[in-house]
Amino acid sequence: MSMSEEAINQLIANNPRGLVARAFNFAQRIHSGQKRKTGEPYFNHLLETAETLMSWKLDEVTIAAGLLHDSIEDAGVSLDALRKEFGEEVAFIVDGVSKISRVKYRGVKSKAENMRKLILALAQDLRVIFVRLADRLHNMKTLFALPPQKQKRIALETDEIYAPLAYRLGMQQVSGELQDLAFPYLFPEEYKRLDKLVPAKYEERLNYLERIKPEIETLLREGGISSFEINFRAKRYRSIYKKLVTHDWDIDQIYDLAAVRVIVKTVADCYAALGIIHEKWPPLPGRIKDYIAMPKPNGYKSLHTTVIGPQEKIVEFQIRTREMHEEDELGIAAHWLYQQAKNGEKVAPRRLTKEIKWVQQMRDWQETFKRESGTAADFIQAMKIDFLKDRIFVITPAGDVIDLPAGSTPVDFAYHIHSEIGNSAIGARVNGKIAPLDAELKSGDMVEILTQKNKKPSEKWLKFVKTAMARHYIKSALKIKKKS
Ligand code: MN
């Protein structure tokens, strides 16, 4: 039994009528008899998702939503039923996850940013994204069971949408893991080559680091740092691959296959440790990075250095505090945790949700990004709250994301797809239900246009359309109509 599985059982045992216990039983019941493509019971997937959320130290509402996240899409439970059974918040999260799961990415780079924006716009509550990421992690681990074409699509979506999204949320570990899971499906040949090359080298590397570990410990202790932890971080395949490509596949050039990670108590200890290490082993020029004074755009903090260590071997160090370490692992989820701890348990969950609303987070990111130059500019542009406020993102039946101004209608949508579809529109289906052509669309709506041959647009449409494109086509079609 994994640690988190034990933890979940504990949680249920402690409170057998609590939210998590009820979600557990409910999910088990509604998915009973269903199987995953791997042949295991469907419920395993929900349990794995919930366990991941638990290991990210998220709250009970999120864990319950993790257990229930496929109840609408795959078990036909209604949103109302969820609301009645588990309350507004759980229902909101499950609904958000369901909407996001209907969006499919097919590798058109220009649409990737739209899709990431849609996901953020839909999420509103960041916990929707946490559940989706936990869901995706398990789906990637069982991707082998799907047909090759699906594998490719999902791996690509993971690599280009979810890994960058996790990275932007500061969840570097999750982002790296998702990329590594996608790698064999996206680059099968390169993966095979790497898999032959790396493990032995990595083993060798690890042995060396284990040997020098006592030396580092003594050094730090003698330097007056009393409390610290040392571990080794393996470099991820994906980043080794990137480096190998620039080094003509010479694995001996990749000297940071594993890095030494030193976790200390305070920021002052970080700098002290750096000094102690440099005093003993000379640093390589240009490899000292102070991400504490200047965090990475996604909030990453640490000191990095590469030194010529014992036996003239090159060793990479990462030095950070416990808090920085947790943030690196969990990103925004860690803030969530601190927020909860700070406010104590008496704070109503609803207020907490408001406090961490993605809008506020994006403001913070914008501040961080403003301090950075160049490459971040497009991110600021893309994430502008005003921009998002004035736009909606709707989905075609094929799962493509269409970006429209707020207040847009099915007619705007139809003309955005194609002028012919606009001209011949007679009705629309929004989220599977018949809707009038002047209905106001919302982010996440799935829109389908009903058409009839040889139809012409109505002059009335000009009163409600929002896009210049629709207006233009309607007017020109009407002129043609008047002539004939
Ligand atoms: Mn799922």
Side-chain angles (χ1 to χ4, degrees):
M1 211 190 295
S2 71
M3 276 229 319
S4 45
E5 194 178 342
E6 230 168 282
I8 251 184
N9 286 335
Q10 197 60 49
L11 198 64
I12 291 169
N14 287 347
N15 192 356
R17 280 159 187 265
L19 194 57
V20 174
R22 284 188 291 124
F24 184 99
N25 294 330
F26 186 89
Q28 207 164 29
R29 184 161 50 80
I30 58 166
H31 292 284
S32 76
Q34 280 181 8
K35 285 216 173 359
R36 296 269 291 173
K37 285 277 168 9
T38 52
E40 354 157 61
Y42 200 96
F43 183 68
N44 283 11
H45 167 63
L46 307 167
L47 199 54
E48 292 277 349
T49 304
E51 281 166 19
T52 302
L53 292 165
M54 195 150 185
S55 73
W56 296 346
K57 303 176 187 175
L58 290 161
D59 64 333
E60 294 201 9
V61 166
T62 317
I63 296 164
L67 287 163
L68 298 165
H69 81 268
D70 281 328
S71 61
I72 295 177
E73 284 297 281
D74 293 317
V77 175
S78 76
L79 185 57
D80 272 341
L82 278 184
R83 216 176 267 140
K84 265 186 211 124
E85 198 83 29
F86 301 101
E88 192 64 53
E89 274 187 296
V90 171
F92 182 86
I93 296 173
V94 174
D95 187 43
V97 174
S98 309
K99 279 180 180 159
I100 290 173
S101 72
R102 284 174 211 142
V103 184
K104 306 260 184 305
Y105 177 68
R106 288 189 179 73
V108 185
K109 283 254 195 238
S110 59
K111 288 188 179 162
E113 190 52 38
N114 259 4
M115 183 160 169
R116 290 193 284 261
K117 276 186 271 180
L118 166 78
I119 290 169
L120 286 172
L122 280 183
Q124 288 176 55
D125 186 325
L126 280 168
R127 292 177 295 179
V128 172
I129 296 183
F130 298 151
V131 174
R132 181 60 172 162
L133 289 174
D135 172 41
R136 182 49 60 103
L137 264 177
H138 186 245
N139 282 341
M140 288 306 293
K141 285 174 189 163
T142 52
L143 197 60
F144 59 87
L146 294 190
Q149 215 166 354
K150 266 198 160 174
Q151 288 177 342
K152 268 257 153 51
R153 192 195 68 73
I154 292 170
L156 191 70
E157 186 176 276
T158 300
D159 199 62
E160 292 185 6
I161 304 292
Y162 289 103
L165 204 57
Y167 187 84
R168 283 183 185 182
L169 293 172
M171 305 172 85
Q172 313 213 68
Q173 296 303 313
V174 178
S175 174
E177 197 177 348
L178 285 172
Q179 279 194 325
D180 256 16
L181 287 165
F183 186 62
Y185 298 98
L186 297 177
F187 304 96
E189 291 308 314
E190 290 83 348
Y191 175 76
K192 266 184 225 153
R193 203 169 156 191
L194 219 57
D195 206 34
K196 265 187 222 145
L197 212 55
V198 173
K201 279 280 164 193
Y202 176 62
E203 193 75 9
E204 201 178 286
R205 189 77 198 150
L206 216 52
N207 285 337
Y208 167 75
L209 293 179
E210 284 292 351
R211 275 203 314 278
I212 68 166
K213 190 178 171 186
E215 203 172 332
I216 304 169
E217 283 169 347
T218 312
L219 207 60
L220 290 175
R221 222 171 274 125
E222 281 173 357
I225 298 174
S226 54
S227 171
F228 58 83
E229 187 189 311
I230 292 173
N231 56 46
F232 308 120
R233 178 202 59 124
K235 205 154 197 93
R236 296 193 174 276
Y237 269 30
R238 189 57 191 268
S239 58
I240 295 172
Y241 168 65
K242 270 189 213 148
K243 285 203 170 177
L244 277 175
V245 169
T246 54
H247 287 104
D248 287 331
W249 286 82
D250 181 0
I251 190 92
D252 292 318
Q253 295 278 320
I254 317 291
Y255 33 71
D256 52 355
L257 275 181
V260 180
R261 191 183 271 155
V262 181
I263 299 162
V264 295
K265 269 217 165 124
T266 63
V267 172
D269 280 351
C270 290
Y271 289 103
L274 184 76
I276 292 164
I277 290 161
H278 282 174
E279 208 181 334
K280 175 82 176 177
W281 297 305
L284 292 185
R287 301 272 311 183
I288 307 165
K289 306 251 163 68
D290 186 348
Y291 293 122
I292 293 179
M294 280 172 293
K296 284 191 186 180
N298 69 348
Y300 176 82
K301 286 181 194 161
S302 271
L303 298 176
H304 287 192
T305 186
T306 307
V307 302
I308 303 168
Q311 296 148 40
E312 307 285 286
K313 284 196 186 198
I314 288 169
V315 183
E316 194 194 2
F317 281 91
Q318 296 176 351
I319 307 161
R320 53 175 71 161
T321 64
R322 169 68 46 197
E323 194 177 333
M324 292 172 196
H325 182 59
E326 274 186 3
E327 270 199 49
D328 178 36
E329 306 256 318
L330 304 174
I332 280 188
H335 286 286
W336 226 93
L337 175 71
Y338 293 134
Q339 196 74 37
Q340 269 182 316
K342 241 194 283 171
N343 292 336
E345 294 203 333
K346 277 177 201 153
V347 178
R350 176 134 311 274
R351 238 197 78 209
L352 263 178
T353 316
K354 266 190 199 148
E355 279 170 14
I356 61 135
K357 271 233 165 133
W358 64 278
V359 173
Q360 195 194 326
Q361 288 295 348
M362 275 206 255
R363 256 185 223 127
D364 295 345
W365 300 337
Q366 268 185 293
E367 288 310 308
T368 318
F369 270 85
K370 271 180 200 155
R371 276 185 259 126
E372 296 277 320
S373 55
T375 53
D378 55 344
F379 179 62
I380 297 173
Q381 199 51 42
M383 284 294 160
K384 270 216 171 121
I385 294 155
D386 290 346
F387 175 78
L388 276 183
K389 207 167 58 189
D390 300 338
R391 310 295 296 180
I392 56 162
F393 301 92
V394 296
I395 313 163
T396 70
D400 289 324
V401 177
I402 305 291
D403 169 6
L404 292 168
S408 287
T409 63
V411 172
D412 295 288
F413 173 88
Y415 279 106
H416 188 100
I417 303 291
H418 198 280
S419 59
E420 264 317 298
I421 296 184
N423 286 340
S424 55
I426 52 158
R429 219 178 265 140
V430 177
N431 301 323
K433 287 189 193 124
I434 295 290
L437 282 171
D438 63 351
E440 188 171 315
L441 298 174
K442 295 186 302 295
S443 269
D445 281 346
M446 184 182 284
V447 187
E448 199 180 333
I449 299 298
L450 310 171
T451 58
Q452 197 179 71
K453 268 192 184 155
N454 303 320
K455 233 337 232 99
K456 291 285 180 237
S458 152
E459 207 167 336
K460 282 185 213 147
W461 292 359
L462 288 169
K463 286 189 189 133
F464 61 74
V465 291
K466 284 282 178 301
T467 53
M469 193 195 269
R471 195 172 303 278
H472 166 80
Y473 282 123
I474 295 166
K475 279 184 183 163
S476 65
L478 289 173
K479 255 181 239 156
I480 295 163
K481 197 179 166 186
K482 273 172 192 162
K483 264 185 233 160
S484 57

